[in-house]
Amino acid sequence: MKETPLSNCERRFLLRAIEERKRLDGRQSYDYRNVRISFGADYGCCIVELGRTRVLGQVSCELVSPKLNRATEGILFFNLELSPMAAPAFEPGRQPELLVKLNRLLERCLRNSKCIDTESLCVVAGVKVWQIRVDLHLLNHDGNIIDAASIAAIVALCHFRRPDVSVQGEEVTLYTPEERDPVPLSIHHMPICVSFAFFQQGTYLLVDPSEREERVMDGLLVIAMNKHREICTIQSSGGIMLLKDQVLRCSKITGVKVAEITELIQKALENDRKVRKEGGKFGFAESIPNQKISAFKMERAPVDTNDVEEQAEEIIMKADPPSDFVAKPILRMPGTAQIGEGLENSWGDFEESEREEEEEGNSDDATTSGGQKMETEEINIVSKTKKDDDTIILSDSEEEEVVILEPEETHKKTRTHTTTKQENSSKKAFNKKRKKKRATH
Amino acid sequence: ATALAGAAANRAGPSRAPPAGTRVGQVVLPGDVLLLPSHPEADGERLWLGPGAALPGRLVCGPGLRSCGAGLLVTKCGLLRHRQPGGAGGGSGGAYWVDSQQKRYVPVKGDHVIGIVTLKAGDIFKVDVGGSEQASLSYLAFEGATKRNRPNVQVGDLIYGQFVVANKDMEPEMVCIDSSGRANGMGVIGHEGLLFKVSLGLIRKLLAPNCEIIQELGQLYPFEIVFGMNGRIWVKAKTIQQTLIVANILEACEHMTAEQRTQAFAKLSER
């Protein structure tokens, strides 16, 4: 798709706003947007959000034979991809210039600065070395791709764990993650890129330009630095003429920003490590918040439970007598018990959550399975639909929509199908909790 | 999306398409069929009650709905809405539509949109309206324009106009005059001000009559505002700061509840 053209009106407004030191989102000239780092369930997978710009980074490794002229060093491979998901203007195969520029900058920043110890990636000199591959995908383009990409790359590399290898004479043993814990990469320092946009022939300077600001800027200066104030890469594009003190000022600002960002990265890595060690929930499902459109919030809908009892009685009359089932609770751990096995779930995809849901469903409605008396079953059905009443009056969450559809289902089910209550309850619990449990595997 | 898919699968069982009247205000999914009372299979339910209203009148099938044999076929997911017709005896049909949320605009005839001029070619302008193709705008389609008296439009200017031709087979055509030849507010939008993009649902909400957001904003500062149905809004206030504030509030309104909005306004009016 062709890129939306920038109208004269917008350009004039942006330049005038910059002259008055105002930015579209209310930041100051030297302010960064909010940086959010979230980790996936695998090691080496992370999403970095810089305002609305999002980059996904994934690190993977492989054993290969080394390059001929570097027999004792591992191989690093960086790849940044701009997919049409990021902006409609990116077409596959149609963005060579920007893509090449970003890839080259990333490579210079991370490879030439020797932030990763490639000697430690050597397994058998001249025969087998680790090839570390960093894939970065731009998920949303709202300006300043290079900063977000460099943060994502270094965070993914710090987060990554490669399988452990031991060499004894001629024998090389590669351990699986189950045999021995995977080992982190050896990283010397963390270079981070900071971008500066210049306007009006270098008169005005903005840090972390957003997409609109990038379109009206005259030139861009990118400085990559680590927290020890060592400059790893510096690049100026756009053909503007910069004065010496401008460049020095930019490098001082970079030092401050890099220190802040490095601290943020360390904290994020530390949090993730703690969560994994304590066995808590990790992964994108936990860290990326849900965003809701409040304009279409559903109002509370009353559920008609008038003739539930009659319908339930009908079903119970028509249903087969329950099999003689001896309820024998299995105590799994203090506080968790299971009665019965639960049915085969017809969804089929979500095996793990299925098992968990059935356990919960069983322990919730322990009296409905293996219930013997008709009256208790009646009461349980009524209380189940009453539970629908209670659960509908939740404050606005996406699950509201889920629950409102279900009373119809259960009504339909009680009218036309004679499935057991167990399947109903496990499906209901399953539907409600499906979203949460979905991404823990 | 996953939970809704689950609900749809559960519904596939004994399918008796529900009458359209009962589904108003609820979530509908693409593929749902809604029966109309005029259909013989519907069990005598009439939507329009009233003396002499035996004939169901002309029914308007709005966005997100398509008429198929048995009734209305839903093509977008969202909430089903219905509007009773005003006027005599409630017999001349109503309108059904699906309220859905979207950011990408598809040109529709009669919509007023904000476009950006990209090309001046002979006697037409090419205007980008956010759709898959650029719209064409003839230079004679301005108020008071003749062959000698050309309108003053440059590449990069903002135009507010409406579509006269907009279907999926041809490139859309727009004009800046209405059927009687008067501009009626359309034409080139002034040189100052800020243009920004929001989702289509927010535009429709803001354009609803007596929209609270616009009234509350109007009490804060005086400003000029133009809404394009393609998701573009142009704002101009007295100073840049005020323009930025108005733009940010409108963008944020999408995700704010009414209470959060009143809080935000209260904070601003203190300053």
Side-chain angles (χ1 to χ4, degrees), chain A residues 20 47 59 81-82 115 137 142 153 157 209 252 348 371 378 392 397:
Chain A
E20 292 184 17
I47 287 187
V59 179
E81 289 188 11
L82 306 175
C115 60
H137 295 266
D142 197 32
L157 283 166
K252 287 205 186 77
E378 251 181 61
I392 287 177
S397 70

Side-chain angles (χ1 to χ4, degrees), chain A residues 353-372:
Chain A
S353 55
E354 202 183 298
R355 233 185 323 117
E356 291 174 77
E357 295 323 306
E358 280 166 6
E359 286 187 20
E360 291 203 34
N362 286 334
S363 49
D364 273 345
D365 297 4
T367 49
T368 58
S369 68
Q372 285 89 12

